[in-house]
Amino acid sequence: MKIHDLSLTIETGMPTCGTPWHQTVEITQMGRLDEVGRNTHRIVLGSHSGTHMDAPFHFIDGGMTMEGIDPYLMWGPALAVDFRDKGAGDTVTLSDVEKLDVSERMIFLFGWYHNWKTDRYYKDFPYFETDAVKYLLDKGMKVMAMDTPSPDNGGAIREGGKTDSPNHVLLLEKGVFIIEYLNNTDVLSGGKVYELVAAPLKVKGSDGSPGRVLVRED
Ligand SMILES: [Zn+2]
């Protein structure tokens, strides 16, 4: 049995989606061992810092917030899907997903985490066509994890506005738990089922939260 950590390291100055509505991460020391007998830190995060999960409230008025997410979505078998042949600006189409054996928890592998901490990370990452998302929803997907910043088109997100993320809206309306910014997905193989643990912080009223994502390979 092997356990793989698919989380990015949370650290001061790590990249964030470069918009004023995303907090930059700051970790500063407060207590010091030599002064007060213990080390403590202040951790300033945004709800979408690093590897994180989205709650329905991210895009849905009155939607579920992070503290109410069903733990069932956070733990269980997940099918890995290899889309590593998709490069910058490519899309996942309806015919790509029609070939899949869709399960409740899906982990989509693009290998995009290799671009983390480069200018490319938020630019032209592969994303899903809306027809493909609708198909996955119809087939019962409840958890959608990926190693890109979003299932939506990054070009549109940078322009902002209410309609820039149609896939997020479709998914969150159906209560799908979205897991973004996975790291280290090269350790996973397409077509394999892994035991997935994706545990966000239980933050009241939040639209999302960073969390630790692990998979177990038996
Ligand atoms: Zn997010």
Side-chain angles (χ1 to χ4, degrees):
M1 183 190 90
K2 268 192 215 157
I3 295 175
H4 302 290
D5 190 341
L6 304 186
S7 327
L8 290 165
T9 300
I10 292 180
E11 55 190 320
T12 297
M14 67 195 283
T16 55
C17 192
T19 56
W21 59 88
H22 285 288
Q23 175 67 40
T24 53
V25 173
E26 296 157 25
I27 302 167
T28 46
Q29 189 150 11
M30 297 177 75
R32 291 187 182 274
L33 205 51
D34 57 355
E35 289 169 1
V36 294
R38 73 263 292 141
N39 290 316
T40 60
H41 285 78
R42 175 169 181 263
I43 303 172
V44 180
L45 299 169
S47 50
H48 302 259
S49 301
T51 306
H52 71 274
M53 300 78 184
D54 291 352
F57 186 54
H58 188 30
F59 276 88
I60 309 299
D61 197 19
M64 174 76 77
T65 49
M66 223 59 216
E67 77 279 21
I69 299 291
D70 185 350
Y72 178 82
L73 301 175
M74 302 178 198
W75 189 356
L79 175 67
V81 177
D82 194 344
F83 283 142
R84 285 178 280 222
D85 58 334
K86 307 269 184 202
D90 288 343
T91 59
V92 174
T93 64
L94 177 60
S95 67
D96 289 328
V97 296
E98 276 174 344
K99 295 171 200 146
L100 302 176
D101 192 12
V102 179
S103 67
E104 286 190 325
R105 299 179 194 79
M106 306 286 285
I107 306 173
F108 294 100
L109 315 173
F110 296 95
W112 195 255
Y113 75 93
H114 287 290
N115 296 305
W116 178 240
K117 292 189 175 175
T118 74
D119 292 345
R120 291 188 72 200
Y121 189 74
Y122 287 105
K123 239 192 230 171
D124 302 326
F125 48 84
Y127 64 97
F128 290 76
E129 290 192 1
T130 294
D131 281 352
V133 169
K134 285 182 180 160
Y135 180 86
L136 293 167
L137 287 169
D138 285 348
K139 294 288 173 189
M141 180 182 69
K142 293 192 168 83
V143 177
M144 183 186 205
M146 68 213 76
D147 59 14
T148 59
S150 172
D152 278 291
N153 179 353
I157 292 167
R158 283 192 300 279
E159 282 167 29
K162 263 193 153 171
T163 56
D164 66 2
S165 298
N167 294 335
H168 265 87
V169 173
L170 281 170
L171 291 160
L172 296 173
E173 264 173 359
K174 288 272 195 297
V176 169
F177 190 46
I178 307 176
I179 304 166
E180 298 164 328
Y181 294 48
L182 291 180
N183 189 28
N184 195 32
T185 51
D186 277 359
V187 298
L188 305 185
S189 307
K192 259 182 105 162
V193 175
Y194 298 88
E195 190 73 10
L196 171 73
V197 174
L201 297 176
K202 195 172 180 179
V203 186
K204 191 170 184 180
S206 188
D207 57 276
S209 167
R212 195 77 176 239
V213 180
L214 307 169
V215 289
R216 194 183 70 192
E217 184 174 357
D218 289 319

